């Protein structure tokens, strides 16, 4: 097949859009094809219709067989249901099937039940199945009752069949646009946790490190936090739509196609502003949340609701990939590998912060990158493999119910690679975006900084005549960790998972991903720039405003984890606080009531929680608990037991 990864496919298109030719091209290499014709023969005097049918028949190879279902619309479901797994069926088209379904000769009938039966047969089909149908949702509402009945029935049929199919494609002017992909390949089950070198620890397979198939590359194991007591289990909530698969690109035999101009989902345009407007109605003392209202807006937009909830399931992806050559000047040999091993063992700053935040941690081995001043950092095949690998990591997280990803990195030379990417994509000067080199002894090494600047300068000079498209930038300058991070951002965007960026690798991936899918940057949040010039520049270009200015320097990803409890607290306040009483919010008026001042006469015992008044000259009586006392007259007042007390008409008189 020309497109792989599906078993049932719906091809939609308008009149003369090329939908039938496209559908036929998908099954041309099948050994046998059964063509299911649904349209009636029509009026013999209608020569134009007869010519159309003849053109369709002429395109079919002689090896194809034809089956007619126009006599009975219910038979189409039977044909699909009885087809074997070695058969290929091409149904052309559902518009003719609906025409027969609405024919008075087949009425009265339960059209809804017939459509449901067809969808059920498609969903359970064992055969390779391609269905063609006209798309009627883009035209005007017909002016006749029969026309409206046809469009309504065909629209319902298209929706039901599209939901049942593995993939859906819309053909416009002969150009296919994929609306629904085939289901993602099954991910291997996450293995039981084992430390490095222990039995059961999965081998780390760097992307592109060996000529093996994509399906053979095992995803790294996920470390769950065990250093802090677990939080109480949250109340079950309906599965949010923002975690559903939304990717609209085809998959071919070599894997997912990642290409410029991908149409990925955007956050909700309305939920964010609605959430901010809702904040001003809450019972919050003082001026409110300040700049942190952007957290509420971001969470609302990415969750698709004006009342977002704190992220309960968070995963940290720690990318480890070293860069050779001058990019890693000043880095201690083996230091990044030690940091990665430390994180796998649940030790070190990043692992401890992840445990405190109840976030899982996944250490990802990215392919090593060659010296960019001498040649490309990666081959084109390694870039494709790294992008798909990052996408799969995001898919795995989404399938596990993760609601927020944190990008972290610990490779040698990542700052220089990110500076090269920024220089190529944003026109930055390398010395202006390269931070000073800090050695393992906490000393600045300006000589190593100059070597890094020279490496980036030479790499940019070497590639000055090259194309500046996203994949070329990754291959020539970015390297393995930035390529994997780019795939993570794209995959997270497709699955509607927000991402916290925190460092040069994350923002460099954001710069590259905007040229592949401009929607990706809208799913990113930058808690802090960390005082790094590269992060500041990229944040300006991507439109990301940092929330805090902590100036932590604990490695990429650590600042995001340090701010995560604050972000969760803000969302908890926004979700849990009631509306202010002045705007109609509820309040308990029974307690803490200010008592009325007592009169000059004898006073009564005040309700509980009220401060008693000084006793008057007369005897004191006891009122019922929480009852508001009436002012007493100048004479002593008495209370008859078990009898109601009337309000005095005037001071000094007692009601009889």
């Amino acid at each position: 097949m020309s497109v792989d990864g599906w078993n049932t496919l719906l091809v939609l298109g308008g009149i003369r859009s090329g939908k039938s030719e496209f559908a036929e091209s998908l099954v041309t290499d099948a050994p046998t094809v059964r063509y299911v014709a649904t349209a009636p023969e029509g009026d013999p005097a209608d020569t134009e219709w007869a010519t159309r049918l003849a053109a369709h028949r002429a395109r079919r190879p002689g090896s194809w067989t034809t089956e007619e279902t126009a006599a009975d619309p219910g038979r189409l479901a039977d044909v699909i249901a009885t087809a074997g797994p070695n058969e290929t069926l091409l149904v052309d088209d559902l518009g003719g099937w609906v025409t027969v379904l609405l024919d008075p000769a087949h009425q009265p009938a339960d059209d809804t039940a017939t459509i449901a039966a067809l969808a059920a047969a498609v969903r359970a089909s064992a055969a390779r199945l391609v269905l063609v149908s006209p798309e009627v949702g883009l035209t005007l509402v017909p002016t006749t009752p029969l026309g409206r009945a046809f469009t309504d029935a065909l629209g319902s049929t298209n929706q039901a069949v599209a939901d049942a199919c593995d993939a859906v494609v819309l053909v416009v002017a002969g150009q296919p646009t994929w609306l629904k992909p085939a289901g993602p390949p099954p991910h291997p089950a996450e293995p039981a946790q084992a430390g490095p070198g222990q039995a059961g620890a999965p081998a780390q397979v760097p992307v592109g490190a060996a000529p093996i198939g994509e399906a053979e590359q095992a995803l790294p194991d996920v470390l769950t936090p065990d250093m802090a007591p677990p939080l109480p289990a949250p109340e079950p909530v309906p599965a949010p739509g923002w975690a559903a698969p939304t990717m609209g690109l085809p998959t071919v035999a070599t894997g997912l196609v990642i290409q410029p101009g991908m149409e990925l989902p955007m956050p909700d345009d309305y939920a964010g502003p609605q959430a901010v407007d809702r904040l001003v109605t809450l019972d919050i003392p003082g001026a409110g949340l300040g700049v942190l209202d952007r957290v509420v807006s971001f969470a609302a937009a990415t969750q698709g609701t004006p009342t977002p909830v704190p992220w309960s399931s968070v995963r940290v992806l720690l990318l480890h990939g070293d860069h050779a050559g001058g990019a890693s000047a000043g880095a201690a040999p083996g230091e990044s590998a030690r940091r990665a091993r430390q994180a796998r063992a649940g030790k070190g700053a990043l692992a401890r912060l992840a445990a405190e935040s109840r976030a899982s941690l996944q250490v990802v081995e990215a392919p090593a990158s060659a010296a960019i001043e001498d040649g490309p950092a990666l081959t084109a095949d390694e870039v494709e493999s790294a992008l798909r690998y990052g996408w799969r990591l995001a898919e795995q997280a989404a399938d596990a119910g993760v609601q927020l990803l944190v990008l972290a990195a610990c490779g040698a030379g990542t700052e220089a690679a990110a500076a090269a990417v920024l220089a190529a994509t944003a026109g930055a000067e390398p010395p202006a975006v390269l931070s000073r080199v800090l050695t393992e002894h906490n000393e600045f090494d300006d000589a190593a900084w100059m070597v890094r600047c020279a490496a980036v300068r030479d790499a940019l000079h070497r590639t000055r005549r090259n194309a500046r498209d996203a994949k070329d930038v990754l291959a020539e300058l970015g390297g393995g960790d930035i390529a994997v991070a780019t795939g993570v951002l794209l995959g997270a965007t497709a699955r509607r998972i927000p991402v916290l960026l925190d460092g040069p690798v994350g923002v460099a991936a954001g710069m590259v991903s905007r040229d592949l899918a401009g929607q990706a940057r809208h799913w990113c949040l930058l808690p802090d720039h960390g005082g790094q010039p590269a992060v500041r520049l990229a944040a300006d270009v991507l439109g990301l405003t940092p929330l805090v200015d902590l100036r932590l320097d604990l490695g990429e990803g650590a600042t995001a984890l340090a701010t995560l409890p604050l972000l969760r607290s803000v969302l908890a306040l926004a979700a849990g606080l009631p509306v202010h009483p002045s705007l109609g919010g509820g309040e308990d008026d029974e307690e803490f009531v200010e008592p009325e001042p007592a009169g000059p006469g004898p006073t009564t015992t005040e309700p509980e929680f009220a401060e008693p008044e000084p006793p008057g000259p007369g005897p004191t009586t006891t009122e019922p608990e929480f009852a508001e006392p009436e002012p007493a007259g100048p004479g002593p007042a008495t209370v008859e037991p078990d009898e109601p007390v009337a309000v005095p008409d005037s001071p000094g008189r007692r009601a009889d």
Side-chain angles (χ1 to χ4, degrees), residues 81-360:
T82 56
N86 297 325
E87 294 186 78
T88 299
L89 269 62
L90 174 59
V91 180
D92 194 357
D93 66 24
L94 296 182
W97 181 78
V98 170
T99 301
V100 175
L101 180 64
L102 298 180
D103 192 313
H106 301 288
Q107 298 296 329
D110 190 346
D111 300 339
T112 302
T114 306
I115 295 173
L118 174 63
V122 171
R123 182 174 284 106
S125 174
R128 191 78 162 178
L129 176 62
V130 178
L131 303 104
V132 182
S133 184
E135 173 52 50
V136 295
L138 305 179
T139 186
L140 298 175
V141 177
T143 58
T144 63
L146 184 58
R148 290 192 293 271
F150 174 81
T151 55
D152 289 346
L154 184 54
S156 299
T157 301
N158 287 345
Q159 290 186 50
V161 174
D163 182 70
C165 283
D166 299 328
V168 180
V169 62
L170 174 66
V171 179
V172 179
Q175 305 302 311
T177 300
W178 292 83
L179 307 179
K180 177 183 177 182
H187 298 300
E190 296 183 4
Q193 302 305 316
Q198 297 177 359
Q204 302 294 333
V205 184
V207 182
I212 60 175
E214 175 105 4
E216 299 178 47
Q217 296 182 6
L219 295 176
D221 55 336
V222 179
L223 305 177
T224 56
D226 56 0
M227 308 182 69
L231 290 172
E235 296 182 3
V237 295
W242 41 274
T246 56
M247 179 56 194
L249 293 176
T251 55
V252 296
T254 56
L256 177 71
V257 177
I258 298 179
Q259 57 193 5
M262 293 187 295
E263 290 294 332
L264 300 183
M266 283 282 291
D268 194 313
D269 289 336
Y270 302 101
Q274 289 173 353
V276 175
D277 293 342
R278 179 178 171 273
L279 288 178
V280 302
T281 68
L282 300 182
D283 190 7
I284 299 177
L289 299 176
V291 297
L292 294 180
D293 62 359
R294 294 200 300 266
V295 179
V296 180
S297 176
F298 174 80
T302 53
Q303 295 181 19
T305 173
T307 55
V309 297
W311 302 291
S312 60
S313 179
V314 180
R315 177 170 296 180
V316 183
L317 297 179
L318 177 59
L319 307 182
H320 172 233
D322 290 339
H323 297 256
S328 59
E335 178 64 14
S336 65
R338 186 182 72 85
R339 294 292 182 187
R341 291 194 302 270
Q342 190 181 57
R344 285 194 191 94
K347 301 176 182 178
L350 191 74
R352 292 185 178 275
L353 285 172
E356 288 295 327
S357 300
R358 278 83 176 182
S360 59

Side-chain angles (χ1 to χ4, degrees), residues 507-536:
V507 296
M511 294 292 294
V512 176
S513 65
R514 67 173 185 158
D515 295 331
L516 294 171
Q519 304 85 357
R521 67 184 182 90
H522 296 281
W523 293 88
C524 298
L525 185 67
L526 182 66
D528 190 1
H529 56 63
Q532 302 184 58
V535 179
R536 282 175 171 169

Side-chain angles (χ1 to χ4, degrees), residues 349-350 353 406-408 502 552-564:
L350 191 74
L353 285 172
V406 178
L407 267 183
D502 180 22
L552 294 179
D553 191 8
L554 299 174
E556 183 165 352
T559 302
L561 286 174
T563 58
L564 183 57

Side-chain angles (χ1 to χ4, degrees), residues 368-415:
S369 305
I372 57 176
E373 64 268 32
D374 298 331
L378 298 175
T379 66
D381 290 341
E382 286 176 326
V383 169
E384 294 287 350
S385 180
L387 288 171
R388 290 196 295 267
Y389 189 65
W391 188 296
R392 288 176 56 206
L393 289 169
E395 287 276 1
Q396 182 194 43
D399 293 342
V402 172
Q403 300 171 352
L404 179 70
L405 287 174
V406 178
L407 267 183
C410 67
T414 56
E415 296 88 350

